[in-house]
Amino acid sequence: MSDNDFFLVGDPIKDEKAPEGPINERWDKRRFSAKLVNPANRRKLSVIIVGTGLAGASAAATLGEAGYNVTSFCYQDSPRRAHSIAAQGGINAAKNYRNDGDSIYRLFYDTVKGGDFRSRESNVYRLAQTSVEIIDQCVAQGVPFAREYGGLLDNRSFGGVQVSRTFYARGQTGQQLLIGAYQALERQVAAGTVKMNTRHEMLELIVVDGKARGIIARDMVTGEIETHFADAVVLASGGYGNVFFLSTNAMGCNVTATWRAHRKGALFANPCYTQIHPTCIPVSGDYQSKLTLMSESLRNDGRIWVPKQHGDTRDPRQIPEDERDYYLERIYPSFGNLVPRDIASRAAKNVCDEGRGVGPGGLGVYLDFADAIQRMGRAAVEAKYGNLFDMYQRITGENPYEVPMRIYPAVHYTMGGLWVDYDLQSTIPGLFVTGEANFSDHGANRLGASALMQGLADGYFVLPNTINDYLAAGPFEKIDESHPEAVAAKEQVTSRIDTLLSIQGSRTVDSFHRELGHIMWEYCGMERNEEGLTKAIERIRELRAEFWRDVKVLGTNDELNQALEKAGRVADFLELGELMCIDALHRRESCGGHFRSESQTEDGEALRHDDEFAYVAAWEFGGEDSKPVLHKEALEYEYVEMKQRSYK
């Protein structure tokens, strides 16, 4: 059986909105050419935004401030509980405050190289340009970035770069940035331009005459199925890492909003591009429900090592220096412990596979701060990382000031997402996608501290400049709940809920989710191959059939019902998981976080095949039990030479 037996190939796709000309002028050119909406007309136009993380909150605040009528949705009890709050280490910006050689072009280059040459040049350059404005915006909002003694904003370095460009607020950067965006959002709520709907989950997209015109949402407290309309819809609903069951994502993170849009015609790009973060607290038991991340910022001062001897179970403090292998410093002397996440993760897996891992099951490596404490003093280390050390000690019961941390790679971020053009518009007109929910900026691997940068760039600066071009065609036809497409969408949601509640099988939702996660981690995790991916596709199909035959969902729809919420999300994960494996199977190369064991260099690094796979894989939903359709967007590089990545 060949991989072509799993999918069909459709026409190529092209980003028609991307401007031409010198790369440093393209964003200005697009902003000028985009149509504008005058302030009086904005009051007549409406936008739905799903998600209140950095991308969603900043977009809602900015569009509300501009005068549009915004309706915002989140499934949490407060916008402040969006998963962006969990980001720890920092946000990148090409300010060059350290005068160490940074620039917009260098941030652009590092990001394209870090993504293993599988991202769009135009998008990445715009991201680097916009980064310098983001910091000013956040400082003006009162975000308490760390500062040097003289009062200037401090910077630290992150993986994949040799400069210090990461702005941070101790180990709480995501939290502080989200509070800034949340305050801006709440200001617009008070002003009446934004209507906030908490504890609401989007379950379907309404498409009328080929355009996105609204959503079907479930009130998660009462179970009421609601219909909401707007002139445009923005999805800022985050990533899909929880398809693996165990990940660093909040347990509520899911793919449903984007997957429902995919089934309605939005292409899903590069679903197999998953980021494995190297600095996670190892799994501690069979019934663990999520994993906890230790910030990548710790790799600035912590040194990663394993014993040189196989099966060395001694206390790490009893292992002399000459019997330790600081393997990242040995293999990658130029970058050392600050190599990109995909490379650090695979290196950790390799030493553990050799039998030199530490901790239970040998699935861990040491992250050691002894040298930093001796060099800087405990007080200085505590000032930089104290809250992270406290969190580690609460979870593990070990004091990282005295004993090295134990870490192991875990699923963290997804570079894939809905396909969007330069304007952040999907293949469904009127449906825009921002932040981690789209695919556009990170290629096959995301550099640390770039997720916060992309979310805020999309929400504060990009979307507000591009959505005008679409909304300028208004006023749009008024529709209500009696419209056939709205009726059909609502019926689809109620029918699906009724089916889930009526099966009354013998297995819990979590048991299906956990089994799917095992399949995905085993065959579509840090290392993939043709045999394993083929097996995974078959097993996922069998598991999905069993789910719809034997899942047990307790309770009713007319109440708070978390089992029902999970069931709908896991049903979508089961479909997404199959597409991820098909995408990983068809891409017979290694690039970034996608590592095919059949495609590696002599020394075990990812080996791309640019002659065959220098494209975005954008997948069209083929229909129930039908093959997905692959559309290829060619990637062209004018400003960065495509070459084998090297961090040595």
Side-chain angles (χ1 to χ4, degrees):
M1 181 180 287
S2 70
D3 57 4
N4 278 345
D5 293 326
F6 294 109
F7 65 91
L8 304 173
V9 178
D11 296 331
I13 189 171
K14 186 177 180 182
D15 178 7
E16 301 289 350
K17 302 283 180 56
E20 297 179 346
I23 197 166
N24 60 322
E25 298 175 7
R26 291 177 185 175
W27 177 223
D28 289 337
K29 185 176 180 180
R30 178 57 190 143
R31 281 190 292 186
F32 183 75
S33 65
K35 300 183 185 71
L36 298 178
V37 181
N38 79 56
N41 287 342
R42 290 176 209 155
R43 292 194 292 270
K44 306 171 188 175
L45 295 166
S46 57
V47 180
I48 283 173
I49 300 180
V50 180
T52 59
L54 289 180
S58 59
T62 309
L63 293 176
E65 181 80 41
Y68 292 108
N69 296 295
V70 178
T71 309
S72 182
F73 294 84
C74 69
Y75 65 76
Q76 298 92 346
D77 57 1
S78 165
R80 287 199 309 168
R81 292 178 67 86
H83 186 57
S84 299
I85 207 164
Q88 299 166 339
I91 177 171
N92 288 331
K95 288 283 198 180
N96 194 30
Y97 282 174
R98 287 288 185 88
N99 195 28
D100 56 0
D102 202 10
S103 64
I104 288 172
Y105 194 90
R106 189 174 294 279
L107 175 53
F108 157 67
Y109 175 83
D110 287 344
T111 305
V112 171
K113 177 184 176 183
D116 217 349
F117 305 93
R118 289 294 177 263
S119 53
R120 296 175 178 154
E121 278 192 330
S122 293
N123 287 68
V124 176
Y125 195 89
R126 176 175 66 185
L127 181 64
Q129 276 180 299
T130 309
S131 71
V132 297
E133 302 174 59
I134 295 171
I135 301 304
D136 297 338
Q137 168 86 6
C138 294
V139 169
Q141 289 176 334
V143 173
F145 286 117
R147 294 179 181 267
E148 295 177 327
Y149 179 75
L152 299 177
L153 298 185
D154 197 8
N155 293 117
R156 56 191 179 200
S157 189
F158 255 59
V161 303
Q162 292 176 303
V163 297
S164 294
R165 65 162 67 104
T166 303
F167 295 77
Y168 65 98
R170 288 190 88 189
Q172 308 170 345
T173 313
Q175 177 177 338
Q176 299 301 335
L177 290 172
L178 186 61
I179 289 172
Y182 167 74
Q183 290 174 155
L185 169 62
E186 289 301 309
R187 178 173 178 270
Q188 296 308 312
V189 171
T193 62
V194 177
K195 180 184 177 184
M196 191 69 234
N197 293 276
T198 59
R199 303 298 287 163
H200 278 69
E201 182 169 25
M202 172 185 161
L203 296 180
E204 192 57 83
L205 180 72
I206 299 172
V207 179
V208 177
D209 296 329
K211 298 177 180 177
R213 291 303 309 273
I215 66 170
I216 305 294
R218 179 177 182 268
D219 183 322
M220 296 163 65
V221 177
T222 67
E224 183 180 354
I225 307 302
E226 303 174 353
T227 307
H228 298 268
F229 299 102
D231 299 312
V233 177
V234 178
L235 298 185
S237 51
Y240 49 88
N242 276 350
V243 69
F244 289 86
F245 186 69
L246 285 179
S247 82
T248 66
N249 290 197
M251 289 182 65
C253 293
N254 63 84
V255 76
T256 291
T258 51
W259 193 254
R260 296 289 105 195
H262 172 59
R263 289 175 63 98
K264 282 291 182 75
L267 301 189
F268 208 114
N270 300 335
C272 79
Y273 286 169
T274 307
Q275 180 166 80
I276 313 293
H277 198 294
T279 320
C280 180
I281 297 177
V283 177
S284 60
D286 292 339
Y287 292 95
Q288 194 166 340
S289 57
K290 78 174 298 294
L291 297 172
T292 304
L293 181 68
M294 288 284 96
S295 169
E296 180 175 315
S297 62
L298 295 171
R299 292 200 275 147
N300 270 285
D301 292 301
R303 300 180 70 193
I304 296 172
W305 63 277
V306 292
K308 289 182 178 179
Q309 296 180 22
H310 291 214
D312 191 334
T313 58
R314 287 179 291 174
D315 184 305
R317 293 167 292 186
Q318 304 303 316
I319 300 177
E321 278 290 311
D322 61 355
E323 295 181 31
R324 301 179 178 189
D325 180 12
Y326 295 92
Y327 57 90
L328 291 178
E329 299 172 29
R330 171 174 57 83
I331 303 171
Y332 307 100
S334 293
F335 284 75
N337 294 298
L338 286 173
V339 291
R341 292 173 175 179
D342 59 321
I343 290 175
S345 294
R346 281 197 297 276
K349 179 181 185 298
N350 290 340
V351 295
C352 290
D353 288 349
E354 291 171 8
R356 296 193 288 141
V358 300
L363 293 177
V365 299
Y366 290 126
L367 177 59
D368 195 339
F369 279 83
D371 284 359
I373 292 171
Q374 184 175 7
R375 183 181 77 251
M376 301 161 55
R378 173 167 171 160
V381 172
E382 195 167 340
K384 291 178 75 172
Y385 308 114
N387 57 318
L388 298 172
F389 278 44
D390 291 345
M391 183 168 66
Y392 181 88
Q393 185 166 3
R394 282 197 301 271
I395 292 170
T396 65
E398 299 173 0
N399 185 345
Y401 293 104
E402 299 173 0
V403 184
M405 291 183 179
R406 286 180 294 107
I407 57 170
Y408 192 70
V411 172
H412 179 55
Y413 186 91
T414 49
M415 285 73 68
L418 292 186
W419 185 93
V420 292
D421 61 19
Y422 192 70
D423 283 1
L424 304 184
Q425 186 171 212
S426 73
T427 46
I428 300 176
L431 178 67
F432 293 79
V433 192
T434 61
E436 191 179 356
N438 74 32
F439 88 102
S440 65
D441 292 359
H442 304 300
N445 176 59
R446 176 177 68 84
L447 289 183
S450 287
L452 306 186
M453 176 172 63
Q454 187 213 346
L456 291 180
D458 286 357
Y460 281 136
F461 299 106
V462 179
L463 181 74
N465 279 291
T466 59
I467 198 171
N468 296 330
D469 194 62
Y470 177 80
L471 292 173
F476 298 86
E477 174 195 359
K478 296 298 180 185
I479 55 176
D480 58 30
E481 293 189 35
S482 65
H483 192 285
E485 293 295 343
V487 171
K490 191 170 184 177
E491 286 178 350
Q492 287 173 342
V493 170
T494 54
S495 173
R496 180 178 165 91
I497 289 173
D498 290 344
T499 300
L500 288 169
L501 291 169
S502 67
I503 295 170
Q504 290 297 303
S506 63
R507 288 189 60 178
T508 65
V509 175
D510 277 348
S511 73
F512 282 104
H513 194 183
R514 185 178 286 109
E515 185 173 345
L516 172 65
H518 281 309
I519 296 169
M520 295 299 296
W521 180 250
E522 181 71 22
Y523 301 114
C524 197
M526 270 195 283
E527 186 173 309
R528 301 107 184 251
N529 59 54
E530 182 175 355
E531 179 184 358
L533 289 165
T534 303
K535 184 185 297 183
I537 293 168
E538 295 169 352
R539 286 184 59 184
I540 291 170
R541 288 175 175 174
E542 293 169 359
L543 187 64
R544 186 166 69 247
E546 185 180 353
F547 175 89
W548 287 105
R549 186 175 63 245
D550 196 32
V551 72
K552 186 176 186 66
V553 182
L554 298 173
T556 68
N557 181 49
D558 303 323
E559 60 184 351
L560 177 66
N561 189 339
Q562 291 184 312
L564 178 60
E565 295 163 19
K566 287 182 182 179
R569 296 167 186 170
V570 171
D572 291 331
F573 278 142
L574 284 162
E575 295 183 9
L576 167 69
E578 180 181 336
L579 183 63
M580 290 174 68
C581 292
I582 291 173
D583 186 38
L585 180 62
H586 110 274
R587 190 171 283 276
R588 297 182 306 278
E589 66 165 354
S590 294
C591 56
H594 167 64
F595 190 80
R596 286 284 295 265
S597 58
E598 306 98 327
S599 183
Q600 54 184 302
T601 63
E602 289 184 3
D603 51 356
E605 303 292 350
L607 179 61
R608 299 193 320 270
H609 298 295
D610 296 333
D611 55 333
E612 295 181 75
F613 295 104
Y615 60 76
V616 175
W619 296 91
E620 176 187 352
F621 181 67
E624 295 286 352
D625 300 318
S626 297
K627 296 177 182 178
V629 181
L630 172 63
H631 300 271
K632 300 177 182 178
E633 178 200 338
L635 291 170
E636 299 174 356
Y637 290 87
E638 297 178 63
Y639 292 86
V640 177
E641 179 188 356
M642 297 178 73
K643 57 186 178 182
Q644 175 69 27
R645 275 197 310 170
S646 175
Y647 292 92
K648 295 182 176 180

